[in-house]
Amino acid sequence: MLEKNFDPKSFEKKFLFDEEAARRNENAEPFMILLPPPNVTGSLHVGHSLCYTLQDIVARYKRLKGYDVLFQPGLDHAGIVTQLLVEKQVYERGIPKGSLTREALLEEIWAWKEKSGCQILGQMKVLGISCDFSRLRFTMDEGSQKAVAKLFVNLYDDSLIYRGERMVNWDPLIRSAISDLEVIEKEIDGNLWHLKYKLQDSEDFITVATTRPETIFGDVAVAVNPADERYKDFIGKTVLVPLINRPVQIIADEYADPAKGSGAVKITPAHDFNDFEVGKRHNLPASNIMNANGELDGDVPEAFQHMDRFAARKLVVELMEKEELVVKTEKIKHKVPFGDRSGVMLEPRITRQWFIDAAKLAVPAIEAVKNGDIKFTPKHWENLYFEWMNNIEPWCISRQIWWGHRIPAWYGPDGQVFVAENIQEAWKKATTFYGKDNIKLVQDEDVLDTWYSSGMWPFVTLGWPENTKDLQRFYSNMLVVTGFDIIFFWIARMIMMGLHANVTLDPLNASRASEVYATSLKLDSFSGASKTYASSTFGVEAASAKVNARAARTPFRNVYIHALVRDEKGNKMSKSKGNVIDPLKLCDVYGADALRYTLASMASPGRDIKMGQQTVEIGRNFLTKLWNAVRFAQMNDCASYNKEFDVNSVEHPFAKWIVHKIRNMITDIENSLDNYRFDEAARHIYQCVWNSFCDWYMEFIKPILQSASDSKDEIREVTSWAILQFVRVLYPIAPFISKKLSEDIGVGEMAWPDANAITLDCNDSVQKIDGLQNIISSVRSIRKFMGIPPSEKLEVNIETADPKLQDVFGEYKEILLRMAGISAVDKLEGQSIPLVLDGIVIHIRFDGKISVQSEKERLNNEIKKLMKDKDNALNRLNNNDFLQKASEEVVQEHRDRVESINEKISKMEYIINVLNLTPPAFI
RNA sequence: GGGCGCAUAGCUCAGCGGUAGAGCACUACGUUGACAUCGUAGUGGUCGUAGGUUCGAUCCCUGCUGCGCCCACCA
């Protein structure tokens, strides 16, 4: 027996570590959900809870549907974030900055990871996320390390990874290169300084505008537009860079925009992306004047050596002001690049880094989405994917930090690079190269971008590079659920790396594992993606052989992009704004199920989720309602599972009616969940439980349960059955309460209901009950209108010529009386008033409780409304085009509508006439 | 500058080529043995704007406005 109060805490703990995840079936269709591995530093925020809940709903649903579901959890080592965090803790312990060795820091991080790095896993369990935690992987575990090195070597061998000196975005705080995606453009207040650059051997000068005066020491030219009349005579002349008097040329370059600044721009190739390009065009040297910390360095005056860039900026301006070289200082707002993680202003910097030739890998990855091998939901996110992929830049994968996958490259004494999976392999290569052994090799100091190992997640978690059974079974049969901001970082990289990885297709499993890439391993049998991929990577001739060996497959088929969770005002949640909602607190107050239900119900596509504390009450209230309904059923012996019960055998119209509602609910929910419409699924169960089952069915059956009716047993059985169906369809969304209730009603294993097995013909009953509902609602409505208190029973006399409705009245008289608060009599005494319904008139005795006038008013209002509807329909029916072009059904529907309105109106008008003639009597 | 999304009741949002929907809020009534985290009945909308397609448009198409976002550029 359920407790009177619905208290999620009383049972959620009990099912916390439910074993569903382990429910695997090797004979069933494989289905995998790849959980986006949270950062090892992470703790559950409300965005996670949405993302994880949606996947968990799919996972549980698919399990019930009989799939062999692998819900793969993991943790991401999150290079920069984690290192920053642990470093900070170490410094707080009093260990001086910079005194830790690489090995010591790594030891600290590993220790921290083991001790407190995985708290999010426990929080996921509170939320009921049914990952197979026994398969937990870490992006830096041994398997990942091997796989990362292996793929690196593959990519290097295929010339898709290379090392080069390039200008990259440099983070002076982290002291590392970062990728373009980790750059955040922020609009800030700044100054545009107009500075005088004096011409050599002349008192004349040219005004150069810059926002970054501290970089003048790196100036190697001044550029003007060749078409700019103002500066025509300056081209080719030499100016002196202020403060250092370095002579540089005035060059003509299209890059200089006459409309911007002064029209003359200083060229500092080592410290600006555009200047770098200009420098290349004009063969100018790149003079680097800044170190990794963002301090001035190199060819700068003594006073500026090792001065911070911002201090240097100030000093340069001061000195130039003293020399009266500042023409004007313009206050401007401009966008400046900042580091996503560090929050500091970035510096363009020329460094030697490792890159992935993303443009090449993108070709098959674009094709895979274009040809539908991979589908995004909602589909419009594919545009964003294409937009980025079509303009993709080389991916800088090296980071100058310590926490991460060390780049598997070793250097010989002469700097010769050997890329190999491990030092032994590197030695072998070195021995061959130098023709002698005992070569001293030094490993590259850098580590890989965190997203490199994340990009390999789909196959690494399945055991790659080993050709495991899991890899054969689950690779490609995957769903990934994530936020739109992760499409570039993760989704795109997984597709690119997945298509390149050597995920061979075992012919035996081919037909099962891949619908798109056919059973044969011949090139001809492959669709666009792998073909394009093969030819773009290896050339058309070599493609066949390589593809035969590689049999590239997409890692997954479906990508669901979920919404952003905002606060109730629609603001992005952030710690600094203080509007962050803690999902664990919500679980504590309302229960995890309530949170899950609420998130699901709000997950409609194309709209962000605005959520406040109270929003979760929607879910909590619904679950309370269900709880109480089951409790009522229990009190009446209507909540125990009977395996023998055959729902197709029920006869009572109420039973058939609820069976019909539930059958529709099941198929509706299936359609919704199959299309990732979590909001619809949540709504369907809500409406069926609340509006059909609680509001009507339970009221219908109360008199039967309290009587000695013959139907009592059947009603009990079907009520138990109904509850069981609710518990089952609710399970994916709200597993805790489902488990609790199913335990209470004595169900063993959870399963998905089979709507097709319900073959009962319910139409007749549905029609009757609809009629009954209509009568009850109408009587309630008129009673309210008349202001008759519910405690007072109304005497009514019911007349109808419709045999169907006569049946209804005959069969459900007791229900009708009870629910509408009436008592039916053959003959009314005293004053009465007629109420016109569809095909039925109910005469109600009211004994002067309302005025005739107000009843006439009411009827006239009703008629007005009906006339409007009627005119609407008549207008169409009078239109020849409508009659000719609209479908037969629609036309007939309109005719029927007009007819039934006419009937109603004429009855009402008749009543009004009678009311006009006489004081109401027995009408 | 290029692109994407959104605009429906006071609020939050569904919906849809053929009579405009839910929850919350609001109004009135109600504690009848499941449930006040509740029940019953209501109030409330020319579906952002202007055109077009159509027999018919809130829905499809185009322009516009407003809001949000992404990418690029910015001396």
Side-chain angles (χ1 to χ4, degrees), chain A residues 828-848:
Chain A
L828 284 175
E829 292 182 22
Q831 294 175 306
S832 78
I833 204 100
L835 169 64
V836 180
L837 305 178
D838 288 317
I840 199 165
V841 179
I842 301 178
H843 303 266
I844 300 171
R845 173 168 159 172
F846 72 98
D847 288 336

Side-chain angles (χ1 to χ4, degrees), chain A residues 34 151 155 358 360-376 381-382 384-386 388-389 392 395 451-452 454-459 475-476 478 480 482 486-503 517 529-530 533 552-561:
Chain A
L34 191 69
L151 186 68
L155 287 164
K360 266 197 192 125
L361 288 177
V363 173
I366 291 167
E367 180 64 24
V369 175
K370 221 180 248 173
N371 69 19
D373 287 1
I374 297 173
K375 290 193 178 70
F376 281 66
W381 291 114
E382 288 176 9
L384 186 70
Y385 173 82
F386 289 135
W388 190 65
M389 291 292 268
I392 199 163
W395 174 15
W451 294 102
Y452 183 100
S454 316
M456 299 173 65
W457 206 230
F459 44 97
Y475 191 75
S476 283
M478 238 184 254
V480 181
T482 190
I486 305 300
I487 292 176
F488 304 149
F489 280 117
W490 195 44
I491 299 292
R493 268 86 178 260
M494 282 194 291
I495 298 174
M496 290 192 281
M497 292 170 108
L499 282 167
H500 183 271
N502 195 3
V503 180
Y517 302 115
S530 36
Y533 166 75
R553 281 192 286 153
T554 58
F556 36 77
R557 300 235 175 281
N558 288 295
V559 181
Y560 178 87
I561 303 297

